[in-house]
mmCIF file of all heavy atoms in Angstrom:
data_model
loop_
_atom_site.group_PDB
_atom_site.id
_atom_site.type_symbol
_atom_site.label_atom_id
_atom_site.label_comp_id
_atom_site.label_asym_id
_atom_site.label_seq_id
_atom_site.Cartn_x
_atom_site.Cartn_y
_atom_site.Cartn_z
ATOM 1 N N ASN A 1 89.061 -67.347 -13.474
ATOM 2 C CA ASN A 1 89.323 -68.663 -12.920
ATOM 3 C C ASN A 1 90.751 -68.819 -12.479
ATOM 4 O O ASN A 1 91.088 -69.447 -11.438
ATOM 5 C CB ASN A 1 88.946 -69.756 -13.889
ATOM 6 C CG ASN A 1 87.477 -69.927 -14.045
ATOM 7 O OD1 ASN A 1 86.688 -69.374 -13.259
ATOM 8 N ND2 ASN A 1 87.041 -70.711 -15.001
ATOM 9 N N SER A 2 91.721 -68.274 -13.272
ATOM 10 C CA SER A 2 93.110 -68.454 -12.980
ATOM 11 C C SER A 2 93.597 -67.601 -11.821
ATOM 12 O O SER A 2 94.508 -68.016 -11.092
ATOM 13 C CB SER A 2 93.937 -68.092 -14.218
ATOM 14 O OG SER A 2 93.564 -68.867 -15.357
ATOM 15 N N ILE A 3 92.891 -66.471 -11.592
ATOM 16 C CA ILE A 3 93.387 -65.620 -10.534
ATOM 17 C C ILE A 3 93.187 -66.206 -9.137
ATOM 18 O O ILE A 3 93.846 -65.830 -8.214
ATOM 19 C CB ILE A 3 92.719 -64.204 -10.643
ATOM 20 C CG1 ILE A 3 93.587 -63.167 -9.911
ATOM 21 C CG2 ILE A 3 91.320 -64.232 -10.075
ATOM 22 C CD1 ILE A 3 93.161 -61.706 -10.137
ATOM 23 N N TYR A 4 92.260 -67.184 -9.031
ATOM 24 C CA TYR A 4 92.106 -67.882 -7.774
ATOM 25 C C TYR A 4 93.376 -68.583 -7.365
ATOM 26 O O TYR A 4 93.829 -68.462 -6.234
ATOM 27 C CB TYR A 4 90.941 -68.893 -7.837
ATOM 28 C CG TYR A 4 89.578 -68.299 -7.669
ATOM 29 C CD1 TYR A 4 88.895 -67.666 -8.670
ATOM 30 C CD2 TYR A 4 88.928 -68.399 -6.407
ATOM 31 C CE1 TYR A 4 87.645 -67.130 -8.498
ATOM 32 C CE2 TYR A 4 87.636 -67.858 -6.229
ATOM 33 C CZ TYR A 4 87.025 -67.220 -7.270
ATOM 34 O OH TYR A 4 85.778 -66.700 -7.125
ATOM 35 N N THR A 5 93.972 -69.300 -8.307
ATOM 36 C CA THR A 5 95.222 -69.999 -8.051
ATOM 37 C C THR A 5 96.340 -69.021 -7.750
ATOM 38 O O THR A 5 97.118 -69.176 -6.799
ATOM 39 C CB THR A 5 95.623 -70.896 -9.242
ATOM 40 O OG1 THR A 5 94.602 -71.869 -9.439
ATOM 41 C CG2 THR A 5 96.928 -71.583 -8.985
ATOM 42 N N TRP A 6 96.444 -67.997 -8.562
ATOM 43 C CA TRP A 6 97.517 -67.002 -8.442
ATOM 44 C C TRP A 6 97.428 -66.304 -7.050
ATOM 45 O O TRP A 6 98.406 -66.194 -6.337
ATOM 46 C CB TRP A 6 97.405 -65.980 -9.564
ATOM 47 C CG TRP A 6 98.612 -65.086 -9.759
ATOM 48 C CD1 TRP A 6 99.874 -65.338 -9.253
ATOM 49 C CD2 TRP A 6 98.698 -63.881 -10.442
ATOM 50 N NE1 TRP A 6 100.727 -64.333 -9.656
ATOM 51 C CE2 TRP A 6 100.008 -63.410 -10.373
ATOM 52 C CE3 TRP A 6 97.758 -63.133 -11.187
ATOM 53 C CZ2 TRP A 6 100.433 -62.244 -10.999
ATOM 54 C CZ3 TRP A 6 98.180 -61.934 -11.775
ATOM 55 C CH2 TRP A 6 99.468 -61.502 -11.697
ATOM 56 N N SER A 7 96.239 -65.859 -6.702
ATOM 57 C CA SER A 7 96.061 -65.155 -5.411
ATOM 58 C C SER A 7 96.326 -66.057 -4.218
ATOM 59 O O SER A 7 96.946 -65.655 -3.246
ATOM 60 C CB SER A 7 94.637 -64.552 -5.342
ATOM 61 O OG SER A 7 94.475 -63.515 -6.282
ATOM 62 N N ALA A 8 95.842 -67.316 -4.306
ATOM 63 C CA ALA A 8 96.044 -68.232 -3.190
ATOM 64 C C ALA A 8 97.554 -68.467 -2.956
ATOM 65 O O ALA A 8 98.001 -68.655 -1.832
ATOM 66 C CB ALA A 8 95.344 -69.550 -3.475
ATOM 67 N N GLU A 9 98.365 -68.459 -4.028
ATOM 68 C CA GLU A 9 99.797 -68.643 -3.924
ATOM 69 C C GLU A 9 100.543 -67.378 -3.521
ATOM 70 O O GLU A 9 101.660 -67.453 -2.982
ATOM 71 C CB GLU A 9 100.350 -69.177 -5.229
ATOM 72 C CG GLU A 9 99.847 -70.592 -5.544
ATOM 73 C CD GLU A 9 100.323 -71.105 -6.884
ATOM 74 O OE1 GLU A 9 100.732 -70.278 -7.765
ATOM 75 O OE2 GLU A 9 100.287 -72.329 -7.124
ATOM 76 N N LEU A 10 99.951 -66.222 -3.753
ATOM 77 C CA LEU A 10 100.576 -64.955 -3.377
ATOM 78 C C LEU A 10 100.519 -64.719 -1.845
ATOM 79 O O LEU A 10 101.346 -63.997 -1.327
ATOM 80 C CB LEU A 10 99.943 -63.796 -4.115
ATOM 81 C CG LEU A 10 100.333 -63.629 -5.586
ATOM 82 C CD1 LEU A 10 99.432 -62.606 -6.259
ATOM 83 C CD2 LEU A 10 101.792 -63.185 -5.704
ATOM 84 N N TYR A 11 99.559 -65.348 -1.177
ATOM 85 C CA TYR A 11 99.426 -65.155 0.252
ATOM 86 C C TYR A 11 99.955 -66.388 0.999
ATOM 87 O O TYR A 11 99.746 -67.526 0.571
ATOM 88 C CB TYR A 11 97.959 -64.918 0.681
ATOM 89 C CG TYR A 11 97.443 -63.575 0.332
ATOM 90 C CD1 TYR A 11 96.364 -63.403 -0.544
ATOM 91 C CD2 TYR A 11 98.004 -62.430 0.865
ATOM 92 C CE1 TYR A 11 95.872 -62.154 -0.859
ATOM 93 C CE2 TYR A 11 97.545 -61.182 0.552
ATOM 94 C CZ TYR A 11 96.482 -61.045 -0.324
ATOM 95 O OH TYR A 11 95.993 -59.794 -0.627
ATOM 96 N N PRO A 12 100.642 -66.216 2.170
ATOM 97 C CA PRO A 12 101.076 -67.334 2.989
ATOM 98 C C PRO A 12 99.896 -68.032 3.664
ATOM 99 O O PRO A 12 98.843 -67.398 3.863
ATOM 100 C CB PRO A 12 102.039 -66.702 4.001
ATOM 101 C CG PRO A 12 101.563 -65.255 4.111
ATOM 102 C CD PRO A 12 101.097 -64.919 2.738
ATOM 103 N N THR A 13 100.103 -69.286 4.094
ATOM 104 C CA THR A 13 99.006 -70.073 4.703
ATOM 105 C C THR A 13 98.362 -69.342 5.865
ATOM 106 O O THR A 13 97.135 -69.361 6.016
ATOM 107 C CB THR A 13 99.539 -71.408 5.204
ATOM 108 O OG1 THR A 13 100.022 -72.142 4.008
ATOM 109 C CG2 THR A 13 98.463 -72.249 5.885
ATOM 110 N N VAL A 14 99.151 -68.692 6.717
ATOM 111 C CA VAL A 14 98.647 -68.118 7.922
ATOM 112 C C VAL A 14 97.609 -67.041 7.695
ATOM 113 O O VAL A 14 96.732 -66.772 8.532
ATOM 114 C CB VAL A 14 99.804 -67.554 8.789
ATOM 115 C CG1 VAL A 14 100.454 -66.359 8.126
ATOM 116 C CG2 VAL A 14 99.382 -67.251 10.188
ATOM 117 N N ILE A 15 97.655 -66.376 6.551
ATOM 118 C CA ILE A 15 96.639 -65.329 6.261
ATOM 119 C C ILE A 15 95.955 -65.606 4.909
ATOM 120 O O ILE A 15 95.294 -64.717 4.371
ATOM 121 C CB ILE A 15 97.235 -63.914 6.235
ATOM 122 C CG1 ILE A 15 98.374 -63.814 5.234
ATOM 123 C CG2 ILE A 15 97.687 -63.472 7.630
ATOM 124 C CD1 ILE A 15 98.871 -62.384 4.981
ATOM 125 N N ARG A 16 96.066 -66.848 4.416
ATOM 126 C CA ARG A 16 95.453 -67.167 3.129
ATOM 127 C C ARG A 16 93.944 -67.039 3.218
ATOM 128 O O ARG A 16 93.296 -66.503 2.293
ATOM 129 C CB ARG A 16 95.843 -68.545 2.654
ATOM 130 C CG ARG A 16 95.393 -68.844 1.215
ATOM 131 C CD ARG A 16 96.013 -70.125 0.713
ATOM 132 N NE ARG A 16 97.447 -69.975 0.590
ATOM 133 C CZ ARG A 16 98.334 -70.745 1.178
ATOM 134 N NH1 ARG A 16 97.891 -71.756 1.923
ATOM 135 N NH2 ARG A 16 99.591 -70.537 1.016
ATOM 136 N N GLY A 17 93.375 -67.530 4.293
ATOM 137 C CA GLY A 17 91.897 -67.410 4.428
ATOM 138 C C GLY A 17 91.446 -65.975 4.463
ATOM 139 O O GLY A 17 90.485 -65.576 3.818
ATOM 140 N N ALA A 18 92.190 -65.158 5.212
ATOM 141 C CA ALA A 18 91.854 -63.732 5.292
ATOM 142 C C ALA A 18 92.090 -63.038 3.962
ATOM 143 O O ALA A 18 91.280 -62.215 3.548
ATOM 144 C CB ALA A 18 92.704 -63.064 6.380
ATOM 145 N N GLY A 19 93.208 -63.423 3.324
ATOM 146 C CA GLY A 19 93.500 -62.813 2.009
ATOM 147 C C GLY A 19 92.470 -63.146 0.959
ATOM 148 O O GLY A 19 91.958 -62.256 0.267
ATOM 149 N N MET A 20 92.068 -64.441 0.915
ATOM 150 C CA MET A 20 91.029 -64.819 -0.066
ATOM 151 C C MET A 20 89.673 -64.239 0.354
ATOM 152 O O MET A 20 88.866 -63.934 -0.517
ATOM 153 C CB MET A 20 90.974 -66.349 -0.150
ATOM 154 C CG MET A 20 92.218 -67.012 -0.706
ATOM 155 S SD MET A 20 92.747 -66.399 -2.311
ATOM 156 C CE MET A 20 91.531 -67.154 -3.379
ATOM 157 N N GLY A 21 89.472 -64.057 1.649
ATOM 158 C CA GLY A 21 88.246 -63.428 2.087
ATOM 159 C C GLY A 21 88.176 -61.943 1.651
ATOM 160 O O GLY A 21 87.148 -61.494 1.147
ATOM 161 N N TYR A 22 89.309 -61.227 1.752
ATOM 162 C CA TYR A 22 89.409 -59.837 1.293
ATOM 163 C C TYR A 22 89.136 -59.786 -0.204
ATOM 164 O O TYR A 22 88.402 -58.906 -0.705
ATOM 165 C CB TYR A 22 90.774 -59.292 1.657
ATOM 166 C CG TYR A 22 91.259 -58.227 0.700
ATOM 167 C CD1 TYR A 22 90.685 -56.987 0.657
ATOM 168 C CD2 TYR A 22 92.353 -58.487 -0.138
ATOM 169 C CE1 TYR A 22 91.149 -55.980 -0.221
ATOM 170 C CE2 TYR A 22 92.843 -57.532 -1.020
ATOM 171 C CZ TYR A 22 92.233 -56.274 -1.070
ATOM 172 O OH TYR A 22 92.687 -55.340 -1.917
ATOM 173 N N LEU A 23 89.729 -60.694 -0.965
ATOM 174 C CA LEU A 23 89.550 -60.676 -2.402
ATOM 175 C C LEU A 23 88.144 -61.072 -2.806
ATOM 176 O O LEU A 23 87.596 -60.573 -3.808
ATOM 177 C CB LEU A 23 90.572 -61.614 -3.079
ATOM 178 C CG LEU A 23 92.049 -61.183 -2.933
ATOM 179 C CD1 LEU A 23 92.960 -62.252 -3.512
ATOM 180 C CD2 LEU A 23 92.276 -59.831 -3.586
ATOM 181 N N GLN A 24 87.513 -61.905 -1.981
ATOM 182 C CA GLN A 24 86.093 -62.232 -2.228
ATOM 183 C C GLN A 24 85.269 -60.920 -2.036
ATOM 184 O O GLN A 24 84.304 -60.695 -2.802
ATOM 185 C CB GLN A 24 85.624 -63.281 -1.220
ATOM 186 C CG GLN A 24 86.057 -64.672 -1.557
ATOM 187 C CD GLN A 24 85.277 -65.265 -2.716
ATOM 188 O OE1 GLN A 24 84.055 -65.442 -2.634
ATOM 189 N NE2 GLN A 24 85.947 -65.585 -3.800
ATOM 190 N N ILE A 25 85.600 -60.120 -1.084
ATOM 191 C CA ILE A 25 84.918 -58.823 -0.883
ATOM 192 C C ILE A 25 85.044 -57.995 -2.136
ATOM 193 O O ILE A 25 84.088 -57.391 -2.636
ATOM 194 C CB ILE A 25 85.465 -58.087 0.335
ATOM 195 C CG1 ILE A 25 85.240 -58.849 1.616
ATOM 196 C CG2 ILE A 25 84.829 -56.704 0.432
ATOM 197 C CD1 ILE A 25 86.017 -58.324 2.804
ATOM 198 N N ALA A 26 86.298 -57.891 -2.641
ATOM 199 C CA ALA A 26 86.518 -57.106 -3.824
ATOM 200 C C ALA A 26 85.745 -57.638 -5.015
ATOM 201 O O ALA A 26 85.112 -56.914 -5.764
ATOM 202 C CB ALA A 26 88.035 -57.082 -4.126
ATOM 203 N N GLY A 27 85.825 -58.979 -5.171
ATOM 204 C CA GLY A 27 85.095 -59.599 -6.281
ATOM 205 C C GLY A 27 83.598 -59.367 -6.207
ATOM 206 O O GLY A 27 82.903 -59.124 -7.205
ATOM 207 N N ARG A 28 83.039 -59.444 -4.980
ATOM 208 C CA ARG A 28 81.614 -59.237 -4.800
ATOM 209 C C ARG A 28 81.199 -57.783 -4.991
ATOM 210 O O ARG A 28 80.099 -57.514 -5.365
ATOM 211 C CB ARG A 28 81.171 -59.726 -3.401
ATOM 212 C CG ARG A 28 81.202 -61.224 -3.221
ATOM 213 C CD ARG A 28 81.027 -62.001 -4.505
ATOM 214 N NE ARG A 28 82.251 -62.738 -4.840
ATOM 215 C CZ ARG A 28 82.562 -63.106 -6.067
ATOM 216 N NH1 ARG A 28 81.836 -62.781 -7.079
ATOM 217 N NH2 ARG A 28 83.654 -63.781 -6.267
ATOM 218 N N LEU A 29 82.116 -56.858 -4.705
ATOM 219 C CA LEU A 29 81.835 -55.454 -4.959
ATOM 220 C C LEU A 29 81.619 -55.286 -6.477
ATOM 221 O O LEU A 29 80.657 -54.630 -6.903
ATOM 222 C CB LEU A 29 82.987 -54.599 -4.463
ATOM 223 C CG LEU A 29 82.867 -53.066 -4.797
ATOM 224 C CD1 LEU A 29 81.621 -52.480 -4.122
ATOM 225 C CD2 LEU A 29 84.128 -52.346 -4.338
ATOM 226 N N GLY A 30 82.517 -55.858 -7.240
ATOM 227 C CA GLY A 30 82.354 -55.803 -8.707
ATOM 228 C C GLY A 30 81.091 -56.525 -9.181
ATOM 229 O O GLY A 30 80.352 -56.025 -10.003
ATOM 230 N N SER A 31 80.832 -57.691 -8.567
ATOM 231 C CA SER A 31 79.634 -58.471 -8.926
ATOM 232 C C SER A 31 78.354 -57.715 -8.567
ATOM 233 O O SER A 31 77.369 -57.759 -9.340
ATOM 234 C CB SER A 31 79.647 -59.824 -8.201
ATOM 235 O OG SER A 31 80.840 -60.514 -8.503
ATOM 236 N N ALA A 32 78.362 -57.015 -7.461
ATOM 237 C CA ALA A 32 77.188 -56.231 -7.012
ATOM 238 C C ALA A 32 76.878 -55.118 -7.998
ATOM 239 O O ALA A 32 75.711 -54.744 -8.195
ATOM 240 C CB ALA A 32 77.381 -55.695 -5.595
ATOM 241 N N MET A 33 77.933 -54.585 -8.577
ATOM 242 C CA MET A 33 77.723 -53.521 -9.589
ATOM 243 C C MET A 33 77.233 -54.069 -10.946
ATOM 244 O O MET A 33 76.679 -53.331 -11.755
ATOM 245 C CB MET A 33 79.037 -52.754 -9.809
ATOM 246 C CG MET A 33 79.530 -51.978 -8.589
ATOM 247 S SD MET A 33 80.939 -50.898 -8.989
ATOM 248 C CE MET A 33 82.219 -52.099 -9.340
ATOM 249 N N ALA A 34 77.490 -55.349 -11.188
ATOM 250 C CA ALA A 34 77.197 -55.963 -12.489
ATOM 251 C C ALA A 34 75.775 -55.756 -13.009
ATOM 252 O O ALA A 34 75.568 -55.284 -14.142
ATOM 253 C CB ALA A 34 77.570 -57.427 -12.484
ATOM 254 N N PRO A 35 74.713 -56.053 -12.199
ATOM 255 C CA PRO A 35 73.361 -55.880 -12.747
ATOM 256 C C PRO A 35 73.003 -54.440 -13.045
ATOM 257 O O PRO A 35 72.242 -54.134 -13.986
ATOM 258 C CB PRO A 35 72.458 -56.464 -11.633
ATOM 259 C CG PRO A 35 73.303 -56.396 -10.381
ATOM 260 C CD PRO A 35 74.705 -56.609 -10.840
ATOM 261 N N TRP A 36 73.573 -53.494 -12.260
ATOM 262 C CA TRP A 36 73.310 -52.101 -12.490
ATOM 263 C C TRP A 36 74.040 -51.627 -13.786
ATOM 264 O O TRP A 36 73.435 -50.895 -14.595
ATOM 265 C CB TRP A 36 73.740 -51.244 -11.297
ATOM 266 C CG TRP A 36 73.096 -51.677 -10.031
ATOM 267 C CD1 TRP A 36 73.538 -52.595 -9.124
ATOM 268 C CD2 TRP A 36 71.866 -51.168 -9.538
ATOM 269 N NE1 TRP A 36 72.666 -52.702 -8.108
ATOM 270 C CE2 TRP A 36 71.623 -51.849 -8.306
ATOM 271 C CE3 TRP A 36 70.918 -50.253 -9.977
ATOM 272 C CZ2 TRP A 36 70.461 -51.630 -7.521
ATOM 273 C CZ3 TRP A 36 69.769 -50.008 -9.187
ATOM 274 C CH2 TRP A 36 69.574 -50.708 -7.995
ATOM 275 N N VAL A 37 75.285 -52.020 -13.898
ATOM 276 C CA VAL A 37 76.071 -51.643 -15.090
ATOM 277 C C VAL A 37 75.508 -52.310 -16.353
ATOM 278 O O VAL A 37 75.320 -51.640 -17.390
ATOM 279 C CB VAL A 37 77.558 -51.971 -14.944
ATOM 280 C CG1 VAL A 37 78.345 -51.754 -16.216
ATOM 281 C CG2 VAL A 37 78.186 -51.183 -13.804
ATOM 282 N N ALA A 38 75.199 -53.570 -16.248
ATOM 283 C CA ALA A 38 74.767 -54.342 -17.470
ATOM 284 C C ALA A 38 73.373 -53.955 -17.897
ATOM 285 O O ALA A 38 73.066 -54.058 -19.126
ATOM 286 C CB ALA A 38 74.830 -55.833 -17.148
ATOM 287 N N LYS A 39 72.502 -53.511 -16.997
ATOM 288 C CA LYS A 39 71.129 -53.272 -17.347
ATOM 289 C C LYS A 39 70.679 -51.822 -17.239
ATOM 290 O O LYS A 39 70.206 -51.221 -18.188
ATOM 291 C CB LYS A 39 70.222 -54.143 -16.473
ATOM 292 C CG LYS A 39 70.337 -55.650 -16.787
ATOM 293 C CD LYS A 39 69.879 -55.984 -18.211
ATOM 294 C CE LYS A 39 69.952 -57.466 -18.505
ATOM 295 N NZ LYS A 39 69.591 -57.736 -19.913
ATOM 296 N N SER A 40 70.880 -51.269 -16.025
ATOM 297 C CA SER A 40 70.305 -49.929 -15.796
ATOM 298 C C SER A 40 71.001 -48.805 -16.592
ATOM 299 O O SER A 40 70.378 -47.817 -16.981
ATOM 300 C CB SER A 40 70.292 -49.572 -14.317
ATOM 301 O OG SER A 40 71.647 -49.519 -13.825
ATOM 302 N N LEU A 41 72.305 -48.924 -16.853
ATOM 303 C CA LEU A 41 73.014 -47.875 -17.597
ATOM 304 C C LEU A 41 72.568 -47.783 -19.048
ATOM 305 O O LEU A 41 72.733 -46.712 -19.678
ATOM 306 C CB LEU A 41 74.527 -48.129 -17.521
ATOM 307 C CG LEU A 41 75.230 -47.822 -16.216
ATOM 308 C CD1 LEU A 41 76.724 -48.067 -16.338
ATOM 309 C CD2 LEU A 41 74.971 -46.409 -15.760
ATOM 310 N N ALA A 42 72.017 -48.862 -19.566
ATOM 311 C CA ALA A 42 71.556 -48.855 -20.961
ATOM 312 C C ALA A 42 70.407 -47.853 -21.131
ATOM 313 O O ALA A 42 70.160 -47.418 -22.299
ATOM 314 C CB ALA A 42 71.119 -50.250 -21.362
ATOM 315 N N VAL A 43 69.733 -47.502 -20.074
ATOM 316 C CA VAL A 43 68.640 -46.508 -20.163
ATOM 317 C C VAL A 43 69.197 -45.162 -20.588
ATOM 318 O O VAL A 43 68.531 -44.410 -21.341
ATOM 319 C CB VAL A 43 67.909 -46.415 -18.810
ATOM 320 C CG1 VAL A 43 66.874 -45.288 -18.824
ATOM 321 C CG2 VAL A 43 67.259 -47.738 -18.457
ATOM 322 N N PHE A 44 70.419 -44.876 -20.120
ATOM 323 C CA PHE A 44 71.046 -43.567 -20.499
ATOM 324 C C PHE A 44 71.688 -43.614 -21.869
ATOM 325 O O PHE A 44 71.578 -42.650 -22.621
ATOM 326 C CB PHE A 44 72.084 -43.211 -19.410
ATOM 327 C CG PHE A 44 71.508 -43.071 -18.020
ATOM 328 C CD1 PHE A 44 71.588 -44.119 -17.137
ATOM 329 C CD2 PHE A 44 70.811 -41.925 -17.646
ATOM 330 C CE1 PHE A 44 71.064 -44.027 -15.867
ATOM 331 C CE2 PHE A 44 70.266 -41.825 -16.379
ATOM 332 C CZ PHE A 44 70.372 -42.856 -15.502
#
């Protein structure tokens, strides 16, 4: 929750939308892995 504020302040206004968009991509990459890591890996 805190990293949203930190990241928004690390980028200037002119590219803040793009910066937060890029970080959303990164966050969703991790989120997309979550169901596989949390559930399917337990089989092994």
